[in-house]
Each structure stands twice: as C-alpha cells, then as structure tokens.
Amino acid sequence: LSLIALTIKNRRLQKKLREEKQNSSALKRITKWTNLISNNPASRLVKVLQDVQSGKKVDMEVIAELLSRIKSHKGGDFYKPELNADEFAKVSEDNKAFADYLKYNLMNNFFDTSAGSSSGSMNLNRSNRSGSLASDKAASDKAICDILRTVSDKSAVGSPMQNFRPDSPFSKSLNNVDELLARDDLWIPNDAIKRLENIGCWNIDPFHVSSISNGHPILTIMYNIFTTDLDLGTHQSGGMLKRLKINERKFWKYVQVIESQMRPENVYHNATHVADVVHNMLWLLRDGELAGRLGLCEWEVFASLFACMIHDFDHPGVSNDFLVRTSHKRAILYNNQSVNENWHVAQAFGLLNREDGDLAWDEEWTEDQIFKFRKLCISMVLATDMARHFELLGKFKARVAECDDACTDAYDPAESKDRESVLVMAIKACDIGTQGKKWKLARKWATIVQVSACITHPRLLPTPPFLSLIRLMKRRRRIQKSWKLTFHFLQEEFFSQGDKEKMLGMLPSPLCDREAVDIVKSQIGFIDAVLFPLYEPLSKVLPELKSVLAQLEHSKSMYEQELATRRQNSREKSKTR
C-alpha cells in the first residue's frame, strides 16, 4: 500500500512539474509586447533610482528627460508607452486597424483631443453639421436619437428574433423599471433558478448558462454563488448576504432589475458578458486565491462581485468616444470623462435610492458602510474604461517590477488602498479575459463579431464549386436566411457603431470599420498588446493566473494557425487563376 501511495504521489508531482514548466515557457514568450508596454517614463525613473541605490553610473540624458516631464506637470504622461518603438511600427504596418485602436482608444487620455483619428472624425462631423446635416436640423436630431437612446428614452427594445424564436434567451428583458416593479408575474422565484454543478470553474460556458436559464445568466450566476458554500479566503459565499445584513428579498429583486436593463441587441455588452465577468471574479477570489492573499474582509468580497455585476449596467452598445463626438447627453453629463462607466455605476446605485425603497437591499447598513462600499465599487467600475488602461497598468507594473513570483512584498494586505489597487486590476482582467478560456470558448466569443460580418456580406458565405449556378444561388440564399435566423439578434455591436459613424459623416472608430478590420489579426494584436502585459504582472501577485497565461498563448497560436491557413489558401487560389 505504501508503494502504491508513493507511486501516486510521484505521478502528481511529475504532473505539477510539467504544468509549471509549461507555464514558465509561456511566460518567456510574452516578453516582446510586455517590454514595449513597459517602456514609459515611470519605468525608467524606477530604473534610475535603482541604479543610484546600487551605485551604478546613471545616464544624464535620461535624467534630463525625466526632469522635463516632471516640470511639465503632465503626471499621466509618466505611464504613456513610447509608441515610436520599432516594434510598434511593425505592428502598425501589419495591422493598422489594431494599431489605431491601441493608440487612440486605449491611450486617448495621453493625447491632445486636437490630434489623432478622433479629432479627424470630430472635425468631419462638425463640417457636416455646417453643411448637409445643418440644412435639416430636425432630420439630424432624429437620426441621432434613432442611433442612441438617450437618458430619458426607456422604450422597450424589440428583438428581431422574437418572430422566429419566442423563447429566445435575449427576448425576455424589459427596459422600464417601473413596469417591472409593478408586475408581480415578471419576477422569477428563487426556487425556479437553475442550479449549476460547475459554479466556480474557469471555463464555465456563459452562453449555455444563458440558454438553460431562459436568458437570465446574471441572476443564475449570482444566485448560485450566494447559495453555495464556496470558500473565498476565510469566508464562505453561502450565507454571506445574511451575515452582511442584506435584505435578500430586495437584493434578488435588484439583481433582476439590473439584468432587465442589459440591452439584448448588444452583441458583446449584454447580460451574458456581465455574467461571465462576475464568474471570472468568483474564480479569481477562490481558485486564484485573491480573497485569501489580500485578506479581503467579507464586504470587500461582496463588493468585488457586485462591481462586476453593475460594471456595464444599461450599456448603450457604443463607445465613450462615440458618445463624446455626437455630444450625447451622457457625455455632457459626465464632461466627456469615462462616460459609460460613470453612467453604469451612478445608475446602478441610483436604484437603491428610489423613493419607493423596493430595491433598497442596503437599508440596514450604516452611512460609513455604504460610503466605503460605494467608494470601492466606483473605483473598480471606472477602471474598466480602456482609455485608462495603460495608466493603471503602468502604475501597477511599477509596484511589482522587482518582485519574484511570490511577490509578497509589493502590496500590504493590511492597507485598504493596496487591496483596492489589486482589485482594480482584477476587474480589468475579468472584463477582457475571454481569450484566456479554453479554445472552443475563446473562439466562440470572437466568432460573435466575425459571424455578423458574414451575415452582412453574403459574398463571404462558402460557395460549393460542384453546384450549378441555379443550385448555387438557391443554396446561398438558404444559408444566408438560416444564418440570419440564428445570428440576427447579435446586431454587430462594433461594426454597427462604425456604420452609425459613417451615416453621420464621421470617420469610423478603430476596429469599427467592417471594410477594414481583420478579426483574426485583431485578436492576435489584442492578446499581445493588452492581455499579456496585463496578466503577466498580475500573475506575480496571483500565481494561479499563470494557467490563464498559458491558455492565452494557446489561443494566440490557434489564431496564428488560422491566419497561416488563410494565407496559404489565398496563395493557392491566386496560382489557379
């Protein structure tokens, strides 16, 4: 028996060593983009101070440049990556659409608004206002109102799929809170909520959860979390609501109201995405050991999950830049600063302060409890604005730059600001981590956008060469109709925004022009330039994330294979012509 036990133990040890070796090799291949993103004044300042401390000779030109930055009072520029590097030039040459996205969407807070692609779009928009659009102001106002529902517009959104699939998961949402609260027949009782056997598994399929719950993935995920005894650090998720003195009846009603406001026509920013982000945070808190390593108190654990649930509340399906350039009410309200994110968190907390008190699940909390809870949630939700990505990432990397894999000295669990800093990076990782899932699921997320392009362009549908012309036309019409029935409700969120911008006489935002975007190349670029540099330093604080890094590497290799196959097919076709 002892020999058998020793053999089993040895096999487990060998398996663990193989996994660590695989994760280590994946990390070594990430250095190119991580170094590119790390090349900013803040990282150079840290390097200079370290050289001074160790007695090394310091480059005076570097010191002069850093002093110039400090005197200019442009503190945010300290975390601006130097995009003039040769590596970025190569990226721009190979994939200009993604390079523009990287520069003008993820870094627009580093640039003057009078420069770049955004300003070009703005100037074009203004010139049109003085021209054809200005000649018919009423038509222009109506067009903009049709494109974006404003703050006061809460009309129900009809899904085009309802005529074909009455039980469509995305056809159940309402957009009128008062109507929802007034009708008892619309509430889902707790005993009718589906139980999930794989709650807490990193690769849980949120699309499947949405399907089996009849379009209520947020409610299903949240209910399974807080009614199952999951170890989150020193706390258990089961019974947490009761211990925090949360009115459970009002809380579950609140969750359903949050879900009812997730617009079903959005291809990405919908209830399925929110449920996925909430569940990603659950995995980080438990398997990623976030709750244990940071020593999170119980209300911080709850706040982390709650912030994920509201982080895209009532998302309009267009970017902050679009709202700003069209002078939308939300952009005016929030002075062009993190427009969507400010709206999400403000409106979600506004529900707690309704006069009828029907959703006030925090009614037993003290003023101090509410203040601390809301402050943490605001910080986390605002951090999901990708325009702040490199600023937040630069600050985080500066803290963990010299850490070993354990990185126990970079953050002090006893300091609330340190805990908040890690939670801010955690929600960012949860928000954009779809490509870190198993390949089948990662490709499914990417396919959502890619399929919509094929629907709009029937010429991209496969054409069997052996069919006659008549049979070919019939088959293509049949395939096109089938694809429309299956995917029409996805609404092409990103390409749709580009179409709206063209209609208004604006330049399409990066990655929003259906005629210029290569989905596969963009996914490779996003993994390289955004996901690797985010997950790599975070894995120093949370070592379990190395498994996600390995999966990101696998996803990238699969996209590269797909790209290589496509290029090979293109070369073969050109030879046969």
Side-chain angles (χ1 to χ4, degrees), residues 241 245-252 360-363:
L241 300 182
K245 297 182 179 180
I246 291 173
N247 186 315
E248 295 189 48
R249 181 185 65 82
K250 293 185 177 182
F251 178 75
W252 294 122
W361 52 260
D362 61 344
E363 57 191 0

Side-chain angles (χ1 to χ4, degrees), residues 26-40 43 79 81-83 85 87-88 91 102 389-390 393-394 396-398 400-401 525-540 549 552-553 556:
L27 284 173
K28 290 178 181 178
R29 293 191 292 270
I30 295 171
T31 55
K32 173 186 171 183
W33 277 89
T34 301
N35 291 338
L36 172 62
I37 304 305
S38 300
N39 185 23
N40 57 47
S43 63
Y79 300 97
E82 301 294 345
L83 296 185
E87 291 91 342
F88 185 81
V91 172
L102 182 65
H389 177 75
F390 286 120
L393 180 59
F396 185 77
K397 286 179 67 67
V400 303
F526 194 76
I527 291 172
D528 271 337
V530 180
L531 297 180
F532 278 154
L534 170 62
Y535 275 88
E536 189 271 333
L538 192 56
S539 69
K540 290 186 175 183
L549 278 169
L552 283 172
E553 183 70 26
K556 178 189 171 184

